[in-house]
Amino acid sequence: QVIKCKAAVMWEANKPFSIEEVEVAPPKAHEVRIKIVATGICRSDDHVITGGMVMPFPIILGHEAAGVVESVGQGVTSIKPGDKVIPLFVPQCGECSSCLSTKGNLCSKNDIGSAAGFMPDGTCRFTCKGKAIHHFIGTSTFTEYTVVHEFAVAKIDSAAPLEKVCLIGCGFSTGYGAAVQTAKVEPGSTCVIFGLGGVGLSVVMGCKAAGASRIIAVDINSDKFAKAKELGATDCVNPTDFKKPIHEVLIEMTGNGVHYSFEVIGRTETMAAALACCHYNYGVSVIVGVPPAAQKITFDPMLLFTGRTWKGSVFGGWKSKDSVPKLVADYMKKKFVLDPLITHTLPFTKINEGFDLLRTGK
């Protein structure tokens, strides 16, 4: 039956979250209802609030979480009530061209590009004050209970600490995968990472795990440098310390530019700088930050003509349903750490304070 619970509803853009009682409908065929135990705050959620990522309102945001299955709809065989799970904002249907290719991971059933704000059948499972509330990229985790499609959830190790592995639902996997999967960073290479939030720090960890010999961390907030060094950065650069453009600074530091660059902010200026600072002939630059809506990028095509590669990476290039349980298993085997990525732990009702901490770079 319908569950009544608390959720953080975003009624309109540029307003605080409103903690409301919502009704969460039971799962339909091939759907799963999850009790959310822990959820992270990601800049992509904030992009919706500020209009950088266009989604319909009212909406329940959140996409980086872990929880326990409460009930399943008809036809669900891979997951049962009581299972520990991570919702997947990049689903894996197993049937579309991306799922069938070894080269791709952006399942066509995703709701990132279309931004419809519905379940795959075109309806909502949330109601508040008699109004239908939209879903966010198939996950909607800023609520005590959510409903996701069976292809948008991964069953994980029952011993995993949910308040840590929730980060594998987005931030950690996105950054770490951009380095080890999308860029395929090689031992001995030089890397630069623009932006040292949770995702950027995860790129640093990925570059280190891949054996990069030099990892340059770039941010306009020097408070981020200590943690970047703790996780593997060899150099830290604040662009505001220089009179010249940052790509020129980086080329001077490295001689010929870096082998791999990562833009983990979501700004067109830094995307262009990341491309320009990588090696003129065989440098690879990866866009990891969500690009702002309605903004175009202008660059000199000679940057690409000489041989550079420009790539994008969604969810670190991982096939979500296959990879998330393996990443959780790797975390349990201590192959990587997640604690340094967690700066604060707040009760759900303080979600607005959490976003204030995000916006002030804390």
Side-chain angles (χ1 to χ4, degrees):
Q1 59 255 46
V2 173
I3 287 180
K4 289 188 177 183
C5 68
K6 281 205 297 275
V9 178
M10 181 58 54
W11 290 103
E12 53 185 309
N14 295 304
K15 290 277 166 72
F17 288 90
S18 180
I19 301 286
E20 306 276 7
E21 183 180 85
V22 298
E23 287 99 47
V24 184
K28 294 188 184 176
H30 299 289
E31 293 176 359
V32 177
R33 187 159 60 181
I34 305 166
K35 180 184 199 325
I36 299 290
V37 174
T39 182
I41 289 176
C42 178
R43 182 66 80 172
S44 306
D45 301 307
D46 194 46
H47 285 332
V48 179
I49 300 166
T50 59
M53 187 175 179
V54 180
M55 290 281 164
F57 292 96
I59 191 167
I60 293 174
L61 296 173
H63 63 282
E64 178 183 275
V68 179
V69 174
E70 176 272 334
S71 59
V72 299
Q74 205 180 336
V76 175
T77 52
S78 59
I79 283 162
K80 62 186 187 305
D83 284 349
K84 283 192 178 179
V85 291
I86 288 179
L88 309 169
F89 73 90
V90 171
Q92 187 182 342
C93 72
E95 295 166 1
C96 70
S97 58
S98 292
C99 284
L100 292 172
S101 166
T102 55
K103 297 175 180 176
N105 77 315
L106 185 56
C107 174
S108 67
K109 300 282 198 288
N110 81 82
D111 190 32
I112 299 166
S114 59
F118 296 115
M119 291 294 286
D121 70 352
T123 62
C124 299
R125 300 291 168 273
F126 300 118
T127 320
C128 181
K129 298 177 177 169
K131 274 194 180 143
I133 309 293
H134 290 94
H135 293 250
F136 179 50
I137 52 179
T139 48
S140 288
T141 63
F142 292 167
T143 167
E144 291 176 321
Y145 289 86
T146 192
V147 177
V148 302
H149 194 278
E150 186 180 12
F151 55 50
V153 60
K155 180 181 170 178
I156 59 164
D157 182 345
S158 61
L162 299 183
E163 73 287 357
K164 311 266 194 241
V165 298
C166 61
L167 298 184
I168 291 172
C170 178
F172 173 77
S173 307
T174 296
Y176 191 77
V180 302
Q181 285 262 119
T182 307
K184 297 191 166 47
V185 170
E186 292 146 333
S189 56
T190 300
C191 302
V192 62
I193 296 97
F194 288 76
L196 300 174
V199 183
L201 291 170
S202 300
V203 178
V204 171
M205 289 158 71
C207 292
K208 187 182 180 189
S213 59
R214 195 167 180 198
I215 301 170
I216 305 167
V218 179
D219 203 299
I220 54 172
N221 178 357
S222 298
D223 294 346
K224 305 265 186 184
F225 292 164
K227 192 161 274 186
K229 285 199 159 149
E230 175 195 328
L231 293 173
T234 54
D235 307 72
C236 292
V237 178
N238 188 328
T240 59
D241 293 343
F242 300 89
K243 291 241 172 17
K244 61 176 83 167
I246 186 63
H247 72 273
E248 290 179 19
V249 174
L250 292 163
I251 289 167
E252 277 177 25
M253 281 174 70
T254 55
N256 288 309
V258 301
H259 301 115
Y260 300 97
S261 67
F262 300 87
E263 200 280 352
V264 205
I265 303 164
R267 291 176 62 93
T268 52
E269 302 88 346
T270 35
M271 289 172 188
L275 179 68
C277 78
C278 71
H279 189 280
Y280 67 92
N281 178 213
Y282 53 81
V284 174
S285 187
V286 183
I287 293 174
V288 189
V290 177
Q295 279 194 25
K296 299 288 178 262
I297 198 161
T298 308
F299 67 101
D300 177 355
M302 187 58 91
L303 286 169
L304 291 180
F305 171 74
T306 56
R308 287 180 183 86
T309 305
W310 213 355
K311 301 181 108 168
S313 178
V314 179
F315 193 57
W318 304 106
K319 286 192 185 282
S320 59
K321 222 170 157 69
D322 293 344
S323 303
V324 162
K326 290 178 187 159
L327 286 165
V328 171
D330 283 349
Y331 170 73
M332 299 299 281
K333 290 178 198 145
K334 302 194 165 37
K335 287 193 181 172
F336 54 81
V337 292
L338 292 172
D339 280 34
L341 301 176
I342 302 169
T343 54
H344 299 75
T345 303
L346 299 169
F348 182 40
T349 49
K350 293 199 171 169
I351 187 165
N352 286 307
E353 289 176 38
F355 274 82
D356 289 341
L357 290 164
L358 175 80
R359 291 167 190 140
T360 52
K362 296 188 173 73

